[in-house]
Amino acid sequence: MSQAWMIISGKGGVGKSMITSSLGIALAKKKLPCCCVDMDIGLRNLDMLLGMQNKVVYDVLDVARKDCKIKYALIQDTRHSDLCMLPAAQLGDVKDMNADDMARIVKKLKKRVPYVLLDAPAGIGRGIENLLPSIDHSILVTTPDDVSIRDAERVIELLEKAGKPRPMLVVNRVIPDMVCSGEMYSPQTVAATLDVPLLGFVPEDRRVLAAINRHESFMEQECAAAAAIERIAQRFLGEHVLMPAFPKPRRGLFGRRRRSKEETFGM
């Protein structure tokens, strides 16, 4: 049975679109057809993360207005035959759509693919309200800091009021060294604070930004972030995958901390 998942965050800039695109690629690599939908009307960026920015002709607003059929707006990934994307409108406003429009679009997409990943706009505004009636489950993306966690609490309250299941949590931009030294919350602490199940976490990885700047996906590389997303995809599909342990600090001469080989985290 097809499922519609909303990827949501309390605040912008936590890597929500990165999680959406990379999870979509991870599912496609497993030969599981998936469609990533950019719902951030007016601030389209999912196309750039998937390297499809030069292929956009029609967008989700065109489909909502019935200016084109959904099959003409979908963009097929050339590297992964099981992945496609429905882009957001770069011009327009979230008020140009309503919940009925979104329900119709999601229903059509669920007939095409088993997994629909809806990249929601940040916050708790009209864009989220349009999506809520159509989704089956949600993934909450946050970073391990108080500001992001507080905003995430508001998102959870919104989902509860709408009668939706509690979201799965992905903690992004985790720095293992800082977690070990007590300078950063662990993903488990964030999950316990929000009282939601931890789907996984992604360590800070400079190759993510490098790939974004090249309009490529880091999922095509062997890096810590890609390995983390692969584990998240396995748990997403119901597989039992242990969370990687954080490396314990090693002390060298005069008590100075030494880096261990394990600190090439996630490989």
Side-chain angles (χ1 to χ4, degrees):
M1 184 176 179
S2 297
Q3 300 176 354
W5 287 74
M6 177 172 65
I7 291 77
I8 191 171
S9 67
K11 66 186 291 293
V14 299
K16 173 175 51 59
S17 296
M18 181 275 285
I19 297 296
T20 304
S21 59
S22 56
L23 179 58
I25 291 173
L27 293 175
K29 282 184 172 182
K30 296 178 181 295
K31 303 301 180 183
L32 296 171
C34 174
C35 181
C36 296
V37 184
D38 193 341
M39 287 307 303
D40 203 354
I41 307 297
L43 295 172
R44 183 170 73 209
N45 54 38
L46 196 58
D47 57 325
M48 295 186 73
L49 293 176
L50 288 169
M52 300 180 182
Q53 67 277 3
N54 296 324
K55 300 179 181 180
V56 178
V57 178
Y58 298 107
D59 56 53
V60 69
L61 272 187
D62 292 320
V63 179
R65 293 167 178 160
K66 299 184 179 180
D67 290 336
C68 77
K69 293 183 178 180
I70 197 166
K71 65 179 179 179
Y72 297 122
L74 292 175
I75 303 173
Q76 190 67 44
D77 192 306
T78 56
R79 298 157 301 177
H80 307 288
S81 59
D82 289 308
L83 178 65
C84 63
M85 181 198 67
L86 179 59
Q90 209 161 11
L91 299 176
D93 191 271
V94 67
K95 296 178 182 178
D96 296 330
M97 288 189 69
N98 57 45
D100 290 339
D101 293 329
M102 201 62 239
R104 175 170 54 87
I105 291 171
V106 170
K107 184 178 180 180
K108 289 183 177 181
L109 289 173
K110 288 172 75 172
K111 290 180 180 180
R112 289 175 169 267
V113 295
Y115 295 102
V116 179
L117 303 181
L118 300 156
D119 184 18
I124 53 176
R126 171 73 176 272
I128 303 300
E129 293 174 1
N130 286 344
L131 291 175
L132 282 173
S134 305
I135 66 167
D136 301 303
H137 305 282
S138 56
I139 295 174
L140 175 62
V141 182
T142 184
T143 48
D145 60 84
D146 287 326
V147 174
S148 185
I149 292 171
R150 183 173 64 180
D151 288 350
E153 289 175 337
R154 294 291 309 279
V155 171
I156 294 171
E157 291 175 6
L158 181 67
L159 291 169
E160 287 181 341
K161 288 180 180 179
K164 298 298 179 180
R166 293 184 74 78
M168 303 288 284
L169 178 69
V170 171
V171 183
N172 191 29
R173 295 177 184 156
V174 175
I175 303 176
D177 279 359
M178 294 184 69
V179 173
C180 290
S181 64
E183 298 173 282
M184 176 178 281
Y185 296 130
S186 70
Q188 291 81 0
T189 298
V190 177
T193 301
L194 295 173
D195 191 23
V196 291
L198 179 62
L199 185 61
F201 64 91
V202 182
E204 186 70 50
D205 190 333
R206 62 183 179 82
R207 280 161 289 195
V208 173
L209 180 58
I212 290 172
N213 288 337
R214 294 193 302 268
H215 300 171
E216 299 174 357
S217 172
F218 64 91
M219 291 299 292
E220 309 304 327
Q221 305 177 35
E222 290 187 9
C223 62
I229 293 294
E230 293 289 356
R231 290 191 294 270
I232 288 171
Q234 289 177 281
R235 297 188 195 100
F236 177 85
L237 296 171
E239 299 178 31
H240 178 68
V241 180
L242 293 176
M243 294 283 174
F246 289 96
K248 295 182 179 179
R250 296 172 60 190
R251 299 293 171 179
L253 196 61
F254 306 118
R256 291 179 180 173
R257 190 180 182 284
R258 294 171 55 193
R259 295 180 63 84
S260 63
K261 291 182 180 179
E262 288 79 8
E263 289 180 273
T264 56
F265 195 73
M267 296 298 290

